Amino acid sequence: MNKPRSVLSIIDIGISNIGSVVRAFQRLGIQPELVADATAVESAHAIVLPGVGAFGDGMAALREKGLVEPLREAARAGKPILGLCLGMQLLADSSEEYGSHTGLGIIPGAVVKLKPGVGERVPNIGWCDVLPHDGTRLFHDFAAGTPLYFVHGYHMICANPGHVAATMSFGGGQATVAVEHGNVFGIQCHPEKSQDAGLGILDAFVSIATESAAS
């Protein structure tokens, strides 16, 4: 795939599976830049925010590195942003994980604990069938019911249902597993562990980022 090598900047907040995410983009022909300071975020064309672990720890790491306002400004400026796993949750207004925490507030909504149904467990670990919503840009080539790999105990409830890009069945209802709001995207799964389907989602974001960088 002939895409610009430095079109993506991946934020390293020290609690992310950076190596596997980098390798996933390398499989798509992209060599992303690793960034960890405000100046690099401000100069980035497009931003990937990965993360694992607890919401409060993720926000603390962003504050320590001075990245909260640069990320908010990047979203306001129209730069493509993709949150992965915890990174998706950090896009929300708040989380109830181990207390009450304020998020980036880029996509209005709250992160709440999953409520399992019969035969389900929290955290939810494993392959789950995903249902993309109409009009989603990340999932435009994604067949409904394709499984992706998850490890999570919380999910985002969007204030605007129109920001929900994909869901999965859980707890007798539908849990949000992807969000889209203009230039900002988030996916709850581990795309780097989701085989070709996960790579397809990342490639869709690369195309969005490439188009943005060229405009």
Side-chain angles (χ1 to χ4, degrees), residues 168-213:
M168 69 175 188
S169 296
F170 197 88
Q174 293 295 308
T176 299
V177 297
V179 293
E180 294 187 17
H181 179 23
N183 54 297
V184 181
F185 307 82
I187 51 178
Q188 181 64 63
C189 74
H190 283 271
E192 77 283 1
K193 296 181 180 179
S194 296
Q195 301 178 359
D196 288 346
L199 289 178
I201 296 170
L202 295 182
D203 194 48
F205 182 73
V206 169
S207 295
I208 292 168
T210 303
E211 292 168 8
S212 177

Side-chain angles (χ1 to χ4, degrees), residues 32-139:
E33 177 186 11
L34 296 182
V35 300
D37 62 79
T39 300
V41 170
E42 291 164 359
S43 62
H45 291 298
I47 297 165
V48 177
L49 176 60
V52 295
F55 190 100
D57 293 339
M59 286 304 302
L62 290 177
R63 287 193 296 270
E64 181 181 348
K65 295 180 180 295
L67 298 180
V68 172
E69 287 306 321
L71 281 169
R72 290 170 175 165
E73 179 54 36
R76 289 191 290 266
K79 294 183 179 183
I81 297 174
L82 175 63
L84 303 179
C85 311
L86 175 63
M88 168 182 153
Q89 296 180 11
L90 297 177
L91 300 173
D93 292 319
S94 64
S95 172
E96 65 177 22
E97 185 177 12
Y98 301 121
S100 179
H101 304 278
T102 299
L104 291 169
I106 294 174
I107 294 184
V111 176
V112 302
K113 192 169 185 177
L114 287 168
K115 296 181 179 180
V118 176
E120 296 174 333
R121 295 181 179 181
V122 174
N124 173 50
I125 301 175
W127 295 87
C128 298
D129 295 345
V130 170
L131 178 65
H133 289 203
D134 292 339
T136 171
R137 299 174 70 188
L138 284 185
F139 294 83

